[in-house]
């Protein structure tokens, strides 16, 4: 009698690589929140900032936290384009902090809305020349204001800044600088 045999072929384990793609700050928010809560157990995420957002080789995302619900002391968790995180709590200021509502529940419930790439695409469509706007340095902030979560994208030509505010939930353009 012949006994059937099964031969297994090893396959590569997939890995996530973030370098050379657009920032995904909202997708990485749970990772940043976990790092922050390990640093300060009552940390409250209040602001997400992306520096050099349209430079896939060097962007940096910073997740700003209030140490707890009432203490106006801050730190941030940075995550670079290689998915490396770091905590910085040396002389961090958030001004004004007029009781900015925390984002923790939205992160945990996966209810942050569109990520940066979607908001950036909406902002670029508002430009009279999308091609020209795409060449400008982009910085972005994500914050909760009242009952809205807002992406504020700033495109920075030499002497003037173009600002766009986009509701992350319904993609509505709430504000754009005049003359764009």
């Amino acid at each position: 009698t012949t006994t059937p045999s099964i031969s297994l072929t090893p396959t590569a384990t997939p890995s996530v690589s973030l370098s050379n793609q657009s920032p995904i700050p909202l997708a990485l928010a749970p990772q940043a929140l976990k790092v922050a809560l390990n640093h300060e157990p009552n940390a409250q995420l209040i602001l997400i900032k992306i520096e050099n957002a349209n430079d896939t080789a060097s962007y940096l995302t910073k997740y700003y936290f209030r140490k707890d619900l009432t203490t106006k002391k801050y730190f941030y968790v940075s995550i670079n384009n290689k998915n490396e995180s770091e905590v910085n709590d040396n002389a961090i200021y958030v001004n004004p902090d007029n009781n900015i509502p925390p984002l923790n529940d939205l992160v945990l419930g996966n209810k942050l809305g569109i990520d940066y790439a979607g908001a950036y695409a909406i902002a670029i469509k508002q430009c009279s020349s999308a091609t020209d706007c795409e060449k400008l340095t982009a910085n972005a902030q994500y914050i909760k204001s009242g009952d809205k979560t807002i992406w504020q994208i700033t495109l920075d030509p030499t002497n003037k800044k173009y600002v766009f505010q986009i509701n992350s939930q319904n993609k509505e353009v709430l504000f754009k600088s005049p003359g764009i």
Side-chain angles (χ1 to χ4, degrees):
T1 65
T2 307
T3 306
S5 66
I6 299 173
S7 70
L8 298 175
T9 306
T11 58
T13 303
S15 64
V16 175
S17 173
L18 297 179
S19 60
N20 295 326
Q21 62 176 285
S22 292
I24 50 171
L26 302 187
L28 293 175
Q31 175 184 333
L33 182 59
K34 183 178 180 182
V35 170
L37 292 173
N38 283 336
H39 181 71
E40 287 286 338
N42 296 312
Q44 301 293 307
L45 176 61
I46 58 172
L47 171 69
I48 301 171
K49 288 179 82 169
I50 314 167
E51 299 168 356
N52 297 318
N54 56 345
D55 183 347
T56 58
S58 69
Y59 70 83
L60 181 66
T61 304
K62 294 179 180 177
Y63 300 82
Y64 286 83
F65 292 86
R66 194 181 296 120
K67 290 195 176 197
D68 58 47
L69 284 169
T70 57
T71 306
K72 299 220 175 176
K73 291 189 177 182
Y74 311 92
F75 67 97
Y76 68 81
V77 173
S78 63
I79 299 179
N80 65 18
N81 67 332
K82 294 177 181 72
N83 201 19
E84 300 165 333
S85 59
E86 181 180 344
V87 175
N88 184 331
D89 61 1
N90 296 324
I92 307 301
Y93 301 96
V94 174
N95 192 11
D97 180 359
N98 47 359
N99 298 319
I100 300 167
L103 298 164
N104 293 34
D105 290 344
L106 295 174
V107 171
L108 295 172
N110 195 23
K111 296 182 191 268
L112 294 168
I114 60 170
D115 215 324
Y116 168 75
Y120 179 74
I122 292 168
I124 292 299
K125 287 180 185 171
Q126 302 301 308
C127 293
S128 57
S129 171
T131 306
D132 288 343
C133 281
E134 286 174 342
K135 295 175 185 172
L136 301 174
T137 300
N139 292 304
Q141 295 185 74
Y142 180 94
I143 194 166
K144 187 171 183 181
S145 178
D147 62 347
K148 295 180 176 133
T149 50
I150 298 169
W151 273 111
Q152 179 169 300
I153 297 175
T154 305
L155 302 178
D156 195 356
T158 316
N159 297 335
K160 185 176 179 179
K161 294 184 186 308
Y162 300 136
V163 178
F164 306 88
Q165 290 181 339
I166 296 150
N167 182 320
S168 73
Q169 302 298 322
N170 65 14
K171 304 177 186 177
E172 175 188 2
V173 177
L174 303 170
F175 173 83
K176 74 175 187 173
S177 297
I180 296 174

